[in-house]
Amino acid sequence: MEEYAKENNLPVGGSFNSKGEYGHILKIEEGQSQEDVIQQFNILGNYPLDGLKEIHKYAHHLNSSQILCYNYFRSMIDGAMIDGKGHPTQELIDWVGNHIGVKITNKAECEFEYVEDKKEYTHFDFYIEEGDVKVFFEIKYTEEFDTKQFVDEGEEFKSYKTKFDNVYKEMLQKCQC
């Protein structure tokens, strides 16, 4: 990402948790908004951010999976997205048919940052629905997973345990798999 940023003269050197400057993080100067920087330097094809109802805290990082997903799928959404929803182009219809083996039409509804279960509150990066057909996408560049939070008795551990007890436990008990 740093090499790409240098080759394209991107304004990098942004900070992550106040731990210095990084070559893969876009710098947000005083007077600029995160959205402006993302739109100008991290969105391919100049597509509007109309499909993102909520922009992630780290979307100005060049390795943002949210922006990766948006850059990939936004060009395959027909026209403007209204209230964060849009319809697939023929390219997306063909891609879903060829790569996933699922048939959709231009009447399917597409959405970024979709939440299926309001109680669980998992955000799927991209979602397509048409009638009984539901296709969920989770996109990653990289994923770091800190297991310390699960052995620690701190507040973060307690919140995960509470969510397991109040949401996932019941889901697991009802799961047929």
Side-chain angles (χ1 to χ4, degrees):
M1 291 296 162
E2 287 183 49
E3 191 175 307
Y4 168 82
K6 286 177 188 173
E7 289 172 5
N8 291 279
N9 297 315
L10 299 181
V12 291
S15 180
F16 175 69
N17 291 337
S18 303
K19 295 180 183 173
E21 295 183 357
Y22 292 87
H24 71 284
I25 301 176
L26 295 169
K27 189 175 248 180
I28 301 172
E29 301 288 350
E30 189 173 327
Q32 290 181 307
S33 70
Q34 180 191 36
E35 290 82 3
D36 290 341
V37 171
I38 292 165
Q39 183 69 62
Q40 187 173 356
F41 300 109
N42 210 10
I43 297 294
L44 302 176
N46 295 316
Y47 289 97
L49 293 173
D50 59 355
L52 296 177
K53 294 175 271 184
E54 177 185 324
I55 295 176
H56 290 175
K57 178 179 178 180
Y58 302 120
H60 63 293
H61 294 209
L62 294 177
N63 63 347
S64 163
S65 61
Q66 181 186 44
I67 301 302
L68 170 68
C69 178
Y70 198 74
N71 279 330
Y72 188 79
F73 287 108
R74 181 60 182 92
S75 66
M76 293 187 271
I77 305 296
D78 192 24
M81 296 187 75
I82 310 300
D83 295 326
K85 296 179 182 180
H87 299 284
T89 62
Q90 189 62 48
E91 181 183 13
L92 182 55
I93 292 166
D94 294 343
W95 188 92
V96 168
N98 293 331
H99 290 88
I100 302 175
V102 173
K103 183 176 172 30
I104 60 169
T105 71
N106 63 354
K107 291 179 177 42
E109 211 165 67
C110 303
E111 187 174 345
F112 293 93
E113 297 299 322
Y114 176 76
V115 177
E116 172 78 2
D117 183 326
K118 304 299 184 213
K119 183 178 176 186
E120 183 206 6
Y121 205 62
T122 293
H123 288 74
F124 291 94
D125 293 323
F126 187 62
Y127 174 75
I128 302 171
E129 180 176 5
E130 184 173 12
D132 293 340
V133 173
K134 295 181 178 186
V135 184
F136 300 83
F137 294 85
E138 190 62 29
I139 309 298
K140 296 289 179 240
Y141 260 124
T142 60
E143 185 75 15
E144 291 182 26
F145 190 74
D146 182 7
T147 57
K148 181 182 181 293
Q149 65 195 359
F150 296 106
V151 295
D152 201 12
E153 287 296 326
E155 290 305 310
E156 192 170 9
F157 173 83
K158 290 176 185 170
S159 72
Y160 282 109
K161 177 144 179 26
T162 299
K163 190 162 188 178
F164 175 81
D165 290 340
N166 295 338
V167 178
Y168 295 118
K169 188 174 181 179
E170 181 182 340
M171 291 171 75
L172 285 169
Q173 289 169 340
K174 290 180 179 179
C175 182
Q176 296 177 11
C177 299

